[in-house]
Amino acid sequence: SKSALKDGDREQPGEVYTFQDVTRLKEMEDQVKIMDRLAAVGRLASGMAHEIRNPLASMSGSIQILGQSLQLDDDNKRLMDIVLRETNRLDQLLTDFVLFTHPDQRKKKQIELNTVIMDTIELFLSNADHGSITVDTDLNGSIMLEADPNQIKQVLWNLFVNAHQAMDIGGTLSIRTTKIPAAELKGMSQPLPAGPHARSWVQLTVADTGCGIDEDDADKVFDPFFTTKPRGSGLGLAIVYSIIESYKGQVSLKSQKDRGTAFTILLPAV
């Protein structure tokens, strides 16, 4: 901004310029936009999921009964298996939808984050499709959270799968954890919530060496149903954002094209 610099004779010998860094303000505005979009979709989704799931369950049950009572040739049996498989896929999509709109808070308990991470890594690497990547961990100390362990595993799994898809020819998946006093956190994109858990925070970073994210897509990756994958549902990262936000935390990303992507999560520590 610019203002006129005037002396005692009302002359204008110069101008005064004021510079202000608005980076944090812009980041906060982006966070609010994401939350508004998620809230709007969530209101629609919760009603739709209930209305669709009931007839879907009836269809699935009826098809299974027909499959048991009818004598089907191989072609008709294959067609019926396709119907059942796609019905189950729709049901899983609805389950993800409900998790995205209303993360369940009833199963929260004190958990050790690094133990949950190692369990999820072991499960992830047990899938033969994920054998092309190398996992590098740097898990510092014992870090306690108050959370639903299944939801934290869901967050980790979605980030791991996203990283694997970005490294289709192999690469390195890095997982880092550290505990940070609130006073040391600078430049956060949203204010830290007050309360007994605000004294220290857990920082979890999941990074890959994959293809990276286009700059034009970076602000859309947490939007539900936005995906650049041929068979992706677009709910994985939206669920990650929804769960972390429900714990009063935050998730952000940094990405470079053809260099990789890093997701950073901040959660209140116990």
Side-chain angles (χ1 to χ4, degrees), residues 3-249:
S3 301
L5 176 63
K6 296 182 178 180
D7 58 18
D9 298 327
R10 308 297 294 175
E11 297 295 332
Q12 185 175 328
E15 296 169 329
V16 176
Y17 288 84
T18 303
F19 298 87
Q20 182 180 7
D21 183 358
V22 295
T23 304
R24 185 177 178 188
L25 178 62
K26 293 293 184 182
E27 290 176 347
M28 292 175 66
E29 289 175 351
D30 291 341
Q31 291 279 341
V32 171
K33 289 177 182 177
I34 293 174
M35 293 173 66
D36 285 345
R37 289 199 296 266
L38 295 183
V41 175
R43 289 191 294 270
L44 175 65
S46 58
M48 286 183 60
H50 177 74
E51 294 299 325
I52 294 174
R53 178 165 271 165
N54 288 338
L56 198 62
S58 300
M59 290 167 57
S60 178
S62 299
I63 292 170
Q64 291 182 55
I65 292 173
L66 284 173
Q68 295 170 1
S69 60
L70 297 177
Q71 297 296 323
L72 302 174
D73 58 32
D74 290 343
D75 288 340
N76 287 332
K77 187 176 185 305
R78 181 177 59 82
L79 291 173
M80 188 164 284
D81 288 343
I82 290 174
V83 174
L84 277 174
R85 186 172 66 248
E86 293 303 298
T87 302
N88 291 334
R89 190 165 72 90
L90 282 173
D91 186 68
Q92 183 59 49
L93 183 62
L94 290 173
T95 300
D96 290 345
F97 224 168
V98 172
L99 178 60
F100 155 65
T101 55
H102 298 293
D104 192 350
Q105 299 291 310
R106 293 173 297 178
K107 298 179 181 179
K108 291 174 66 175
K109 61 182 181 181
Q110 288 197 12
I111 62 172
E112 207 285 305
L113 176 61
N114 292 335
T115 301
V116 175
I117 291 173
M118 293 306 300
D119 289 345
T120 310
I121 291 174
E122 182 178 0
L123 180 63
F124 183 75
L125 293 179
S126 67
N127 188 322
D129 293 338
H130 302 152
S132 62
I133 65 174
T134 301
V135 175
D136 178 40
T137 60
D138 182 14
L139 311 180
N140 292 288
S142 177
I143 298 177
M144 301 301 296
L145 294 178
E146 187 172 345
D148 179 347
N150 290 325
Q151 287 187 355
I152 298 300
K153 287 180 179 179
Q154 180 76 61
V155 166
L156 292 166
W157 184 268
N158 288 359
L159 291 176
F160 292 174
V161 168
N162 201 69
H164 175 257
Q165 291 173 344
M167 300 185 292
D168 54 354
I169 59 173
T172 301
L173 172 64
S174 303
I175 301 102
R176 303 278 184 270
T177 59
T178 187
K179 196 172 181 179
I180 306 174
E184 294 183 10
L185 288 176
K186 303 294 183 183
M188 287 189 64
S189 57
Q190 65 186 41
L192 294 175
H197 299 311
R199 296 173 187 167
S200 61
W201 288 75
V202 177
Q203 181 172 284
L204 164 65
T205 302
V206 178
D208 64 66
T209 56
C211 59
I213 299 172
D214 288 335
E215 187 175 348
D216 293 340
D217 295 336
D219 62 343
K220 305 173 188 174
V221 296
F222 297 116
D223 289 357
F225 301 116
F226 175 80
T227 181
T228 59
K229 311 294 190 302
R231 295 183 58 82
S233 68
L235 280 175
L237 291 179
I239 290 172
V240 168
Y241 190 96
S242 182
I243 291 175
I244 297 303
E245 196 271 337
S246 74
Y247 288 160
K248 307 301 182 185

